[in-house]
Amino acid sequence: MQIVIMYNEDQKIVFLFSPELDNAFLQELYGDDLLQAEMVFESSVQQLRNEQQLAETRFHNGDMQGLKKVIHKMKPLLGYMGMNEIMEEFAVFEQTCAQSETAAEAEAGFYHIKIITLEAVKKAEKEIKRLKQHNIQYL
């Protein structure tokens, strides 16, 4: 009597990113390397927080070109986390900064950016928790 043991390496539990994120892009970007995704999300959240503080300073100092540069640096961080819609809103605000001579001209847009940055950070933190829960299974 011969016993055949079927072993399937592909029995890993598939991880799907949250629906509000660009799942196809994130799958293409990270593939099966969800530890990398976790690290990039964590790093991006930290950088978003730091850049948001810098944006606040630039805005309150009326440094519109400096603010534009900070917003430009924040955009790819959102992309690394599959937040394309928010990234597009940053691109629009970047143009507002380029066309505004005073902080007052960009004030409404700046407060909108602050709100969506906080939302992005919350979404990312939720995703980091999900990634950690998934990744711990394979350590």
Side-chain angles (χ1 to χ4, degrees):
M1 183 170 132
Q2 186 178 12
I3 299 174
V4 178
I5 298 173
M6 299 297 289
Y7 179 72
N8 184 358
E9 275 190 43
D10 297 330
Q11 286 185 334
K12 280 188 172 184
I13 298 166
V14 174
F15 181 86
L16 292 176
F17 290 91
S18 296
E20 65 266 19
L21 305 178
D22 185 339
N23 207 349
F25 174 74
L26 292 172
Q27 291 292 338
E28 189 177 310
L29 188 61
Y30 300 112
D32 288 338
D33 195 351
L34 295 172
L35 283 173
Q36 179 69 19
E38 180 185 328
M39 290 188 316
V40 170
F41 271 65
E42 286 179 326
S43 165
S44 295
V45 164
Q46 188 58 50
Q47 283 186 269
L48 274 176
R49 285 192 177 115
N50 294 343
E51 297 297 336
Q52 179 62 38
Q53 290 175 342
L54 187 56
E56 195 81 41
T57 302
R58 298 277 191 266
F59 177 77
H60 289 297
N61 291 341
D63 179 2
M64 297 312 294
Q65 286 309 306
L67 178 59
K68 179 183 175 287
K69 287 178 184 171
V70 173
I71 296 301
H72 184 76
K73 283 177 64 179
M74 292 170 84
K75 279 190 316 189
L77 299 172
L78 297 160
Y80 297 142
M81 298 185 293
M83 298 184 191
N84 299 347
E85 291 166 13
I86 296 175
M87 193 169 68
E88 288 169 22
E89 291 188 63
F90 270 67
V92 169
F93 183 65
E94 187 179 358
Q95 288 304 309
T96 300
C97 291
Q99 296 163 1
S100 300
E101 294 187 22
T102 66
E105 293 175 63
E107 189 169 13
F110 180 70
Y111 286 112
H112 175 69
I113 286 296
K114 281 178 61 170
I115 289 167
I116 65 174
T117 300
L118 288 173
E119 289 172 5
V121 166
K122 283 180 189 171
K123 283 181 191 177
E125 287 174 337
K126 186 179 114 190
E127 205 64 13
I128 291 166
K129 281 183 186 166
R130 291 183 68 238
L131 284 162
K132 283 182 182 301
Q133 288 172 344
H134 178 83
N135 288 337
I136 203 149
Q137 301 172 66
Y138 302 108
L139 294 179

